[in-house]
């Protein structure tokens, strides 16, 4: 808990106001604990209500999403957009389609997004949205009708200078395409910069699909290099998830000389001691939208185990949790530590529970927190917006080089802030403080709004 009476009061207020929002409370508590190191040096924050404003979204929109399935039956889902903070740029953050989506999860994600976007050094504010719709098992036509209905309402609230959504869990190129088509039809104009993660033929950026996973590896590589004079070369890696982030994290870690031996989906995990054949994973998950279980049927020497948490009992040097929030708990952290893990890089948002983070830090494991380590996706989304504004496209190599430099800069900003807070190497504190200072300065400059 924080020492600052001001921060304690703000935290008590958010818990009292929305008592059921546990993921949101978890994310806020971690950030406020980091700000405890600096808040006394900035009396202007309390005088201007900066922290109270920072934890409260500027606007929350919820709406009905009716759609018709292939049998003519009508379903009604709930849609959301949390427009959290626009002090440094238009709201920016993904859309998540998953049955678990609720306001607590979207507020935690939107809140984290403010700091992440600030860390990229690009002019983007924070937001997040989505729906409790489950694309799994739906036909393309059903997904299209859902996306069109979702965008029919969302289109009133977004725009290239207002709010620029992108993908997240359950929202990939297919869904972005359907939503962009509907937005264009409603607005009757070509506003490419309203969504990112678009296909290459209609304003998407090269390297955007790869960006979060590649960026995670660039960050982790810089952390290994600067803090342990080491690298991915020759290391054994375990990656959870088998979606966008996990697949490209595997691709980059492998190209940097590591061997990835395990991945999972929400049903179970595969272990391939010879190194995962990523072409098989891509075929199963990206082409066929199938289950990861099929990998063990296709690749001799590999095994499949039902359930996900066992993935962290597989010995590895580097763990990259890339599936979802709170997927790696204290017990899993202890198993990783007992097996000699040296570094953890968070590809998913808040995948490690607070006791897992504590265990890693106490054991001296290098720990790259999500809001810094997975910022490559949103950074490249901002590069997509720049290309849309210029009506110009950079090559894959140009975007990748910018992404690499951004991730190296984020590491150093977070590391330097951790040193200034007298906690050298604590990148949780460093990322929270570095991200916050920029947003707070912008909020102060703009007055009480
Ligand atoms: P995808 O939907 O592409 O993939 C998610 C993967 O995680 C799937 O393989 C899914 O399995 C698996 N998964 C979901 N829930 C669980 C669970 N409870 N246990 C184990 N596995 C699970 O999403 P993304 O790869 O885009 O996103 C993954 C994470 O990264 C999320 O936390 C997201 O917020 C974060 N992120 C994504 C960014 C991006 O650019 N896409 C940017 C920054 C962060 P199944 O196939 O069974 O559903």
């Amino acid at each position: 808990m924080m020492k600052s009476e001001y921060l304690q009061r703000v935290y008590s207020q958010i818990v009292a106001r929305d008592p059921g929002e546990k993921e949101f409370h978890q994310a806020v508590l971690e950030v406020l604990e980091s700000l405890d190191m600096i808040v006394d040096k900035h009396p202007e924050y309390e005088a201007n209500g900066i922290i109270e404003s920072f934890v409260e979204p500027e606007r929350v929109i919820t709406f009905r999403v009716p759609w018709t399935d292939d049998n003519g039956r009508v379903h009604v889902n709930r849609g959301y957009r949390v427009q959290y903070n626009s002090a440094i740029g238009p709201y920016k953050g993904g859309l998540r389609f998953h049955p678990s989506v609720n306001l607590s999860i979207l507020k935690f994600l939107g809140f984290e997004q403010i700091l992440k976007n600030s860390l990229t050094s690009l002019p983007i504010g924070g937001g997040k949205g989505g729906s409790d719709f489950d694309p799994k098992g739906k036909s393309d036509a059903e997904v299209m009708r859902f996306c069109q209905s979702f965008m029919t309402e969302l289109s009133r609230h977004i725009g290239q200078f207002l709010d620029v959504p992108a993908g997240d869990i359950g929202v990939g190129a297919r869904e972005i395409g359907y939503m962009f088509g509907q937005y264009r039809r409603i607005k009757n104009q070509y506003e490419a910069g309203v969504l990112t993660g678009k296909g290459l033929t209609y304003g998407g950026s090269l390297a955007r699909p790869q960006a979060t996973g590649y960026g995670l590896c660039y960050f982790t590589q810089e952390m290994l290099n600067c803090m342990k004079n080491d690298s991915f070369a020759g290391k054994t890696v375990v990656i959870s998830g088998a979606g966008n982030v996990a697949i490209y994290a595997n691709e980059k870690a492998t190209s940097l000389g590591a061997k990835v031996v395990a991945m999972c989906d929400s049903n179970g995990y595969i272990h391939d001691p010879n190194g995962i054949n990523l072409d098989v994973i891509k075929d199963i998950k990206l082409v066929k939208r199938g289950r990861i279980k099929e990998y063990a049927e296709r690749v001799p020497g590999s095994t499949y185990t039902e359930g996900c948490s066992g993935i962290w009992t597989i010995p590895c040097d580097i763990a990259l949790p890339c599936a979802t929030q709170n997927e790696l708990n204290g017990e899993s952290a202890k198993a990783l530590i007992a097996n000699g893990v040296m570094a953890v890089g968070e590809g998913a948002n808040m995948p490690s529970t607070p006791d897992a983070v504590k265990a890693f830090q106490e054991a001296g494991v290098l720990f790259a927190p999500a809001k810094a380590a997975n910022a490559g996706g949103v950074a490249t989304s901002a590069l997509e917006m720049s290309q849309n504004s210029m009506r110009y496209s950079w090559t894959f190599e140009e975007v990748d080089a910018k992404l690499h430099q951004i991730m190296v800069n984020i590491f150093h900003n977070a590391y330097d802030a951790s040193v200034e807070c007298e906690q050298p190497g604590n990148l949780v504190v460093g990322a929270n403080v570095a991200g916050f200072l920029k947003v707070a300065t912008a909020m102060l400059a703009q007055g009480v709004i």
Side-chain angles (χ1 to χ4, degrees):
M1 207 19 116
M2 298 76 70
K3 291 194 303 295
S4 156
E5 189 272 327
Y6 172 41
L7 295 178
Q8 283 178 23
R9 196 171 66 243
V10 173
Y11 184 67
S12 302
Q13 277 165 4
I14 68 146
V15 173
R17 197 176 260 169
D18 298 302
E21 298 184 348
K22 61 181 184 346
E23 293 86 359
F24 174 58
H25 302 160
Q26 181 184 336
V28 170
L29 182 62
E30 184 209 272
V31 172
L32 296 189
E33 282 176 347
S34 300
L35 300 187
D36 212 16
M37 320 278 163
I38 57 157
V39 80
D40 287 346
K41 290 186 210 142
H42 293 275
E44 69 276 21
Y45 293 163
E46 184 167 2
N48 291 277
I50 291 297
I51 311 276
E52 293 90 323
S53 295
F54 184 64
V55 297
E56 184 66 20
E58 290 176 15
R59 191 176 300 112
V60 175
I61 301 147
T62 69
F63 51 95
R64 181 173 74 195
V65 190
W67 59 280
T68 310
D69 69 20
D70 290 344
N71 298 317
R73 213 179 126 217
V74 175
H75 300 259
V76 178
N77 284 93
R78 183 171 288 173
Y80 303 85
R81 188 71 183 163
V82 179
Q83 298 183 328
Y84 223 116
N85 191 303
S86 59
I88 63 171
Y91 310 106
K92 179 96 196 84
L95 296 170
R96 177 176 292 191
F97 292 169
H98 192 272
S100 65
V101 163
N102 58 36
L103 198 51
S104 171
I105 289 180
L106 295 179
K107 278 174 68 182
F108 119 64
L109 289 164
F111 180 72
E112 295 272 297
Q113 196 81 45
I114 306 168
L115 296 163
K116 181 186 311 196
N117 294 1
S118 167
L119 284 168
T120 66
S121 74
L122 300 167
I124 39 179
K128 199 81 187 187
S131 172
D132 56 1
F133 172 76
D134 187 359
K136 243 183 250 152
K138 307 288 190 300
S139 69
D140 283 350
E142 288 172 329
V143 171
M144 181 181 76
R145 287 194 291 272
F146 174 82
C147 289
Q148 289 176 339
S149 179
F150 184 84
M151 183 50 85
T152 300
E153 176 59 32
L154 188 70
S155 62
R156 305 165 196 266
H157 310 290
I158 62 174
Q160 60 175 328
F161 300 117
L162 168 61
D163 184 354
V164 184
D168 190 76
I169 292 178
V171 178
R174 175 182 62 170
E175 290 75 16
I176 292 288
Y178 293 147
M179 286 190 277
F180 184 73
Q182 183 72 351
Y183 184 86
R184 189 167 63 74
R185 184 186 192 192
I186 290 169
K187 297 285 175 175
N188 195 29
Q189 60 182 2
Y190 209 98
E191 188 187 332
V194 70
L195 286 175
T196 59
K198 299 182 294 295
L200 286 179
T201 54
Y202 62 96
S205 173
L206 285 160
R208 175 61 187 91
Q210 291 82 358
T212 309
Y214 278 25
L216 169 66
C217 292
Y218 293 145
F219 186 99
T220 306
Q221 178 92 338
E222 189 68 9
M223 176 175 77
L224 287 164
N225 180 26
C226 295
M227 292 174 69
K228 274 227 161 77
N229 194 22
D230 212 328
S231 73
F232 269 100
K235 301 295 185 300
T236 299
V237 178
V238 166
I239 300 180
S240 62
N244 172 269
V245 181
I247 284 174
Y248 292 106
N250 182 329
E251 189 165 283
K252 183 51 72 177
T254 305
S255 82
L256 292 170
K259 181 163 81 169
V260 180
V261 296
M263 294 180 82
C264 73
D265 63 17
S266 57
N267 293 117
Y269 66 91
I270 49 152
H271 181 201
D272 188 343
N274 299 317
I276 284 174
N277 182 333
L278 195 56
D279 289 339
V280 176
I281 293 283
K282 284 182 177 174
D283 183 54
I284 295 169
K285 298 306 280 187
L286 300 182
V287 180
K288 296 184 179 147
R289 295 180 189 274
R291 308 311 300 157
I292 207 164
K293 187 179 183 176
E294 196 185 316
Y295 184 93
E297 290 153 18
R298 286 170 59 174
V299 181
S302 67
T303 53
Y304 172 76
T305 308
E306 202 67 31
C308 301
S309 58
I311 194 170
W312 305 120
T313 63
I314 297 170
C316 64
D317 304 304
I318 299 170
L320 302 176
C322 295
T324 194
Q325 66 273 358
N326 291 328
E327 53 161 314
L328 199 171
N329 62 19
E331 206 180 310
S332 301
K334 280 188 198 132
L336 282 165
I337 293 163
N339 283 327
V341 73
M342 65 183 293
V344 176
E346 294 190 319
N349 285 308
M350 205 169 74
S352 313
T353 60
D355 50 336
V357 177
K358 193 160 170 270
F360 291 135
Q361 289 176 331
E362 283 174 2
V365 173
L366 300 185
F367 182 74
K371 62 176 71 72
N374 74 19
V378 74
T380 308
S381 277
L383 299 178
E384 182 174 331
M385 291 161 70
S386 301
Q387 293 169 83
N388 294 151
S389 296
M390 290 189 294
R391 291 172 159 70
Y392 184 73
S393 300
W394 290 317
T395 63
F396 187 97
E397 289 71 25
E398 284 172 308
V399 179
D400 191 35
K402 290 181 202 299
L403 167 67
H404 192 170
Q405 191 57 53
I406 288 169
M407 298 314 296
V408 167
N409 292 347
I410 294 174
F411 169 78
H412 287 284
N413 288 341
Y415 186 83
D416 292 350
S418 77
V419 173
E420 276 162 37
C421 293
E422 296 174 7
Q423 301 219 17
N426 184 339
L427 300 177
V428 174
V429 167
N432 286 333
V433 168
F436 175 78
L437 286 173
K438 177 177 170 187
V439 178
T441 305
M443 289 171 75
L444 278 167
Q446 293 172 33
V448 180
I449 50 170

